[in-house]
Amino acid sequence: MCEGIRAALRREFPEWTIIQARDTGRWWATRGPGPGELVQEGPSVAEADTPEGLRRLRELGFGGG
């Protein structure tokens, strides 16, 4: 089940790496500068208790794609 949720989040946030912590169950989204970029614009890490929490972060500038 978690793999399906992770795959869906990856489709929604293609530039982000999606991680679920085994010990706490928290969800993380991280991204770094793209190829050839020294820095990036916008946030580079987000965390939430649930996958839905990560989706809500889009409102705060953690946009997908």
Side-chain angles (χ1 to χ4, degrees):
M1 181 169 135
C2 287
E3 194 56 43
I5 294 169
R6 195 171 12 258
L9 286 167
R10 287 179 180 145
R11 285 190 300 274
E12 293 176 47
F13 296 87
E15 296 177 5
W16 295 76
T17 300
I18 305 298
I19 304 162
Q20 183 185 23
R22 288 185 201 178
D23 59 342
T24 64
R26 288 188 61 79
W27 289 82
W28 294 78
T30 63
R31 69 179 179 131
E37 295 178 327
L38 296 177
V39 296
Q40 67 190 28
E41 289 188 37
S44 62
V45 66
E47 66 174 307
D49 290 324
T50 64
E52 293 77 22
L54 282 183
R55 289 182 177 109
R56 282 193 294 267
L57 290 170
R58 187 176 287 134
E59 301 166 11
L60 300 174
F62 290 77

